[in-house]
């Protein structure tokens, strides 16, 4: 399935995530396409949906080797000093909890095999995901963004990017979020050479 980047996270994934324990959504995409940003977008939607419409109370987000516990009702992030093995044991008892995984700068790190529904953002070229995907899993491919989708993200995120700079960067880098919306001057220099 191809992800439409302006989609509503809750309508696409939450129905599956809330009905199946250990259900996994794997979001695959090349570097810079906005997979990491999508997790933040999903968190924002989960926080803003209101308690009566919320199917989860907590998100445990692993970025690299760091863990955060996010209280969705209070919109508070706690940095959590927990070991992977302890989290695995705790996950068996945690209800109404989601697990988000982002490998950060360590492409060899795998998502934890926890007892809760999860959303993991991964590169499609890493062999380690084959084992992870053996469980009940929905794989979604994240493609580069259209100019309209990027403009919506600029507006929604209140990023300080003017239209001329946006058009110039979109023309140079296509729909790769990291380069269009970031201030990656090194990438621009390489592209110009």
């Amino acid at each position: 399935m191809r992800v439409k980047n302006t989609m509503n996270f809750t309508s696409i994934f939450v129905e599956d995530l809330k009905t199946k324990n250990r259900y996994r959504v794997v979001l695959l995409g090349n570097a810079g396409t906005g997979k990491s940003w999508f997790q933040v977008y999903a968190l924002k939607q989960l926080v803003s949906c209101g308690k009566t419409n919320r199917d989860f109370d907590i998100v445990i987000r692993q970025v690299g080797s760091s863990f955060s516990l996010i209280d969705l009702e209070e919109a508070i992030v706690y940095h959590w000093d927990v070991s992977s093995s302890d989290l695995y044991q705790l996950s068996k008892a945690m209800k109404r909890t989601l697990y988000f995984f982002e490998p950060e700068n360590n492409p060899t790190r795998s998502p934890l095999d926890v007892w809760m529904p999860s959303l993991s953002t991964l590169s499609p070229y890493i062999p380690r995901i084959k084992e992870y995907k053996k469980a009940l899993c929905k794989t979604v491919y994240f493609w580069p963004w259209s100019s309209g989708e990027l403009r919506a993200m600029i507006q929604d995120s209140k990023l300080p990017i003017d239209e001329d700079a946006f058009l110039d960067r979109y023309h140079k880098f296509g729909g790769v979020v990291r380069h269009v919306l970031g201030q990656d001057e090194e990438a621009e220099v390489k592209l110009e050479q």
Side-chain angles (χ1 to χ4, degrees):
M1 174 200 314
R2 179 181 190 263
V3 171
K4 192 66 177 158
N5 300 315
T6 55
M7 73 185 161
N8 183 320
F9 167 78
T10 53
S11 68
I12 292 201
F13 299 128
V14 171
E15 285 306 310
D16 287 331
L17 291 172
K18 75 179 181 181
T19 58
K20 301 171 184 146
N21 193 25
R22 296 192 78 187
Y23 187 80
R24 298 172 177 171
V25 174
V26 176
L27 187 58
L28 298 178
N30 293 332
T33 56
K35 300 180 306 292
S36 300
W37 182 89
F38 182 78
Q39 279 195 4
V40 176
Y41 174 77
L43 281 170
K44 180 181 175 188
Q45 285 198 353
L46 288 167
V47 166
S48 65
C49 71
K51 185 175 182 173
T52 57
N53 297 322
R54 188 177 296 121
D55 296 297
F56 299 99
D57 299 321
I58 295 171
V59 171
I60 295 172
R61 186 166 190 236
Q62 179 183 359
V63 179
S65 59
S66 299
F67 292 92
S68 298
L69 187 139
I70 299 135
D71 179 330
L72 296 173
E73 183 175 349
E74 300 297 325
I76 297 174
V77 177
Y78 300 95
H79 297 285
W80 196 16
D81 186 17
V82 64
S83 71
S84 299
S85 59
D86 287 344
L87 180 57
Y88 174 79
Q89 292 301 321
L90 287 168
S91 72
K92 293 178 180 180
M94 297 180 89
K95 305 297 181 209
R96 296 177 53 88
T97 302
L98 284 171
Y99 168 70
F100 282 12
F101 173 78
E102 168 65 39
E104 197 178 37
N105 294 326
N106 185 348
T108 62
R109 185 175 303 281
S110 297
L112 297 178
D113 184 16
V114 292
W115 290 86
M116 60 185 74
S118 65
L119 170 66
S120 298
T121 56
L122 303 167
S123 167
Y125 305 112
I126 297 174
R128 66 181 159 76
I129 65 171
K130 289 180 183 172
E131 280 301 310
Y132 184 72
K133 288 172 54 178
K134 285 183 179 177
L136 186 58
C137 180
K138 175 188 244 177
T139 302
V140 183
Y141 296 92
F142 210 71
W143 296 59
W145 299 50
S146 71
S147 62
E149 291 166 334
L150 286 168
R151 277 190 181 96
M153 185 166 43
I154 290 168
Q155 183 178 8
D156 188 45
S157 303
K158 297 180 175 83
L159 293 171
I161 300 172
D162 68 41
E163 183 67 11
D164 290 336
F166 166 75
L167 290 172
D168 182 52
R169 295 177 76 78
Y170 189 79
H171 178 71
K172 287 179 186 175
F173 300 110
V176 179
V177 174
R178 177 179 296 160
H179 301 306
V180 176
L181 301 184
Q183 301 300 315
D184 191 353
E185 291 160 15
E186 183 179 319
E188 284 193 51
V189 170
K190 287 180 183 176
L191 187 66
E192 290 170 1
Q193 293 174 346

